[in-house]
Amino acid sequence: MEIKVYSTPNCPYCVMAKDFFKAQGLEYQDVNVAEDQNAFQEMIQKSGQMGVPVIDIDGNIVMGFNRPEIEKLIK
């Protein structure tokens, strides 16, 4: 399973999402879109959104820390 979290350092929902993945024992790639303009553009292309977090789980896009949706995708 490949998990990518598009986030910014000062986003509380980003921290919640990353803490959730850690608690589940799942590895994820943290992409700081505040520092990486290319990643920011990639996030917008995938999601159509400029807000974070955007979570990509095996190509499935989840907007924000939508725990029920994330749990469905990681089972």
Side-chain angles (χ1 to χ4, degrees), residues 5-9 11 14-15 18 30-34 43 52-54:
V5 180
Y6 295 92
S7 66
T8 60
C11 160
C14 300
V15 172
K18 292 182 274 189
D30 183 21
V31 182
N32 183 346
V33 297
M43 177 189 82
V52 290
V54 170

Side-chain angles (χ1 to χ4, degrees), residues 23-73:
Q24 299 296 314
L26 297 170
E27 289 189 21
Y28 62 90
Q29 180 184 357
D30 183 21
V31 182
N32 183 346
V33 297
E35 292 179 354
D36 186 337
Q37 189 62 35
N38 290 333
F40 183 65
Q41 293 302 322
E42 178 183 297
M43 177 189 82
I44 294 170
Q45 251 185 326
K46 285 184 178 185
S47 68
Q49 301 290 318
M50 294 177 68
V52 290
V54 170
I55 303 166
D56 181 341
I57 302 173
D58 289 337
N60 297 291
I61 303 301
V62 179
M63 302 303 306
F65 180 52
N66 182 341
R67 186 173 175 155
E69 186 65 24
I70 292 167
E71 287 177 338
K72 275 196 280 185
L73 292 170

